[in-house]
Every structure is written in structure tokens, then in C-alpha cells.
Amino acid sequence: MIVIGVSSGTSADGIDVAAARFALDGDLIRLTPLGHLDHPYPDDLRRELRSALPPASTTLETVCRLDTLIGREFGRAALAGMEAFTEGRADLISSHGQTLFHWAEGSTVHGTLQMGGPAWIAEATGVPVLSDPRTADVAAGGQGAPLAAVLDTLLLGERHEATAALNLGGIANVTVVRPGRDPLAFDTGPANTLLDSAMRLITDGAIDLDVDGRLARSGTPVPELLDHLLAEPYYRQAPPKSTGPELFGPDHLEAALRATGRPEDGDLLATLVELTAVTVADALRPHGVVEVLASGGGTRNPALMERLAARLGPARLDTVDALGVDGDAKEAYLFALIGFLSAHGLPAALPACTGARHSAIAGSFTPGSGPLRLPEPADRPPRLLRVEPAP
């Protein structure tokens, strides 16, 4: 089965596309990566989207516009992936959409909203679409996040030592796989979201990220600011837990700067890098992990990776590329996997990780140009996933 995964993270800068061939062999899933690409949002859509994100107020007109415009853009991205990697054909498109709001209060998630109408994707590609993959888990009492746990646990299922998968997107999330025990997964706090907010603050919106961590490397963490940021109660909340820019957005950073003063630009970036390194290491320390495999945009920030390696020691830090998965495309492959699982009647979210009362099949299906036909349901859940080279 060929599945195209399309997703966009909290940075809201564009769409990640990955194509994969999946096969179910007993309790083993075989994943053959076929390719991946980045599809940037048009500048006007990126601006409109970011201006609607929390803590900004918005209108139902804007929500309708964004749902439509994002859906059309996801359709273009999926079609580009099909044309580039699968000779224009696929069995399923699996779309995460663009998160506009994650309704979390303390340890409870009440709802989650992803934009990007699936009908636009189906119309553009002629292929059935799985969309809205988080809501079923939330309805079952779960966090709806981090969904990465389903891929991480299958990839790491044969490890004989406690191992963590770390995703450094806008928000950092971890999955901890421990032999003989249930896995854990949760959001640790900000990864890139505050760093990107700081760069927009420093440059009056002209630049979104600290390329190669150059500005962070030029500075030194400011203890007073770091301590103020670490006082956020979220860090001491027990998992399962999830968060987003609703909490760790520009307002969070600006409130901290008002309370402690704004340091030099390099020192500000260095402090935010240290915040991510400290909170990730503190979150993983109780679980005795011996290796951490990172993915996501944060892995391209040498300053962040250096501080993570220092804080995580003696645990080893590597990237998920060591397992045959391109770290830049892991999220898109994740949603392709979720589409494959749902098409076979298999749940994607793990109650031990999300806190749900029971496992639930993720998402809703939108037919393509013809009748919706799904495979026969699988008779047992998979235990392992193996990445195999393309022929």
C-alpha cells in the first residue's frame, strides 16, 4: 500500500510530504521510504496563518478562509509528492493538517483543532484522504499527543536498553521505550517555538530562525531569565501531558522579558537553547535512558544539539537517521503510518502514552474520485516496524 503523509508543525512555515510503501507481515510492518519534500506555504498564507494563531484573536471568516486555503495547499503538496515519488499514484493520502488550537487545561485536553479541509486534498489528487488523526484519542480521554509514540515504539521495539526518541519541532516531545514496561510519551516543553519567537522579536519579524545557531553560539545564558522560564508549572506536571504555542508562544517570552529585562540578542538565544536542553534532560533523567535519538528541525541547530548532548550525558545523543528514517521527514512518515494503520482498522494512539481510556482508530476518511475501498481489517496489531531500502 502506497501512502503519502502530509503534515505541518507548530512553526507553520510549510508542509512536509513523505511517500512510503507499507506492507503488513504478521506483526511486522515493512516501511519502504520513497522520498520526501518540503512544500513552503505562500508568503501571504503564512502571514495570515501566523496572525490567527494564539494568543491572537480571530474571526470565523478567517477560520473558514484558513481551512480552505490550507486544504488547497495540502492538496498541491500531496500531488507534488505523488508526481515526484510514486509516478502519480497512491492508495491513500494521510493528512495531519495545520494545528490552530490545542485546548489543554492543566493535565486535561478538551479538544484540538487542525485546519486543512480534506475534500480539497481529495479533489486535487483523486485519492482517498485520512484526516483529523488526533480527535478520536481526545474523545477517549487522551491528550491527542504525542502521536509520534506509535512510530517510535514500533521502531525501537527490539531495543534491550531504555531508549528515547526526541522530536525537536516547535514543541519538544519524547517517547521512552523501556524493555518489559509500558512506553511513555509526552511533550517536554518548547524546542524551536520560543527560539523562533525571539528571532522575530529581534528582527522585527524579518527572520524566523537562528540559522545554524550562530546567534545562540555568540551569547551566554542569563541565569535570572533561565530561572524565571524554568518556573513555569508545566515542567513539573506529570505525564501524560501535551502543550503548544497556546502556552509557549510569543506572549510567554515577552512576559518573561518584562519580568527580568531583555538581554543582549545572543544571550537571549543562548538562554532559550539552554531552556530546551535543561527541560528535555530533566524530563528524561528519571527514566534511565542510555540513548536519545533526535529528529525534527532542531537537529539542524548545532548550538541546541551541543547543549542537549552536554545535559543528557551520560546518555548518548544521535539522530533517528541511524535507524534508516530521515529525521527531517519523520513526522510526515509518522502520519503516513497512521493512515496505513487506520486503513487496516488498527489504532494509532497508545493509551499508555496519551492517557486515553482505550485505544481508538484515528481519523476520518474522505473518498477520492471513486468509491472508498479499504483493505480487510488486520487480525492483530503490529509489534515492530522495519525500514527497508527502496528497490
Side-chain angles (χ1 to χ4, degrees):
M1 184 177 194
I2 294 176
V3 185
I4 308 290
V6 283
S7 68
S8 183
T10 51
S11 60
D13 54 1
I15 302 163
D16 296 323
V17 184
R21 180 179 291 110
F22 293 93
L24 194 56
D25 183 3
D27 62 0
L28 171 69
I29 293 179
R30 302 183 187 276
L31 184 162
T32 304
L34 302 177
H36 68 92
L37 58 84
D38 297 323
H39 182 91
Y41 280 135
D43 290 342
D44 55 349
L45 175 55
R46 185 187 301 110
R47 284 192 296 269
E48 185 170 1
L49 170 56
R50 287 180 176 170
S51 68
L53 292 174
S57 59
T58 190
T59 65
L60 287 175
E61 177 187 355
T62 299
V63 170
C64 181
R65 282 175 49 81
L66 287 173
D67 189 45
T68 299
L69 295 173
I70 294 169
R72 289 175 177 172
E73 211 57 46
F74 266 69
R76 295 185 186 101
L79 185 61
M82 290 170 57
E83 291 173 345
F85 308 123
T86 67
E87 299 180 343
R89 62 185 182 89
D91 299 297
L92 181 67
I93 310 294
S94 184
S95 171
H96 172 258
Q98 177 69 60
T99 298
L100 259 71
F101 195 78
H102 192 65
W103 182 14
E105 295 179 350
S107 61
T108 302
V109 171
H110 300 285
T112 187
L113 180 64
Q114 282 74 43
M115 293 281 95
W120 297 103
I121 307 172
E123 177 67 22
T125 62
V127 175
V129 179
L130 179 91
S131 61
D132 194 22
R134 297 187 185 274
T135 300
D137 184 74
V138 173
Q143 298 279 313
L147 294 182
V150 67
L151 175 58
D152 295 336
T153 55
L154 291 172
L155 269 175
L156 302 176
E158 291 184 310
R159 292 292 176 112
H160 300 297
E161 298 177 301
T163 305
L166 166 64
N167 180 59
L168 296 167
I171 299 297
N173 62 67
V174 295
T175 303
V176 181
V177 176
R178 304 164 295 177
R181 302 178 66 183
D182 285 339
L184 288 172
F186 54 95
D187 291 344
T188 63
N192 297 315
T193 182
L194 293 184
L195 288 164
D196 295 349
S197 292
M199 286 301 297
R200 287 191 281 272
L201 178 65
I202 290 167
T203 65
D204 293 324
I207 299 175
D208 287 333
L209 76 161
D210 180 16
V211 177
D212 295 329
R214 288 194 290 263
L215 191 53
R217 277 178 150 170
S218 74
T220 302
V222 178
E224 184 182 4
L225 176 58
L226 181 60
D227 290 345
H228 182 90
L229 291 165
L230 286 171
E232 164 56 47
Y234 180 82
Y235 300 124
R236 287 169 292 286
Q237 185 178 315
K241 60 180 180 177
S242 59
T243 190
E246 299 79 17
L247 173 57
F248 294 110
D251 277 11
H252 184 80
L253 175 62
E254 289 168 16
L257 296 181
R258 285 194 299 271
T260 64
R262 179 171 165 177
E264 295 292 326
D265 295 344
D267 294 344
L268 173 57
L269 269 292
T271 304
L272 297 176
V273 162
E274 199 69 15
L275 174 70
T276 294
V278 169
T279 52
V280 168
D282 285 353
L284 289 176
R285 190 168 295 111
H287 307 296
V289 298
V290 299
E291 185 173 22
V292 179
L293 298 167
S295 61
T299 61
R300 296 193 295 275
N301 183 333
L304 178 56
M305 292 296 282
E306 288 166 9
R307 294 310 302 151
L308 277 167
R311 289 282 185 175
L312 286 167
R316 304 181 299 276
L317 177 64
D318 202 345
T319 67
V320 75
D321 300 68
L323 301 180
V325 178
D326 189 308
D328 288 337
K330 184 187 170 193
E331 288 280 293
Y333 283 121
L334 162 67
F335 290 106
L337 171 65
I338 289 173
F340 176 78
L341 292 172
S342 293
H344 287 80
L346 294 167
L350 306 179
C353 297
T354 67
R357 293 182 296 273
H358 58 82
S359 58
I361 298 171
S364 302
F365 286 98
T366 299
S369 56
L372 180 64
R373 294 187 174 91
L374 298 177
E376 285 294 314
D379 58 3
R380 55 177 162 161
R383 187 176 60 88
L384 296 170
L385 181 144
R386 185 168 299 147
V387 179
E388 301 189 339

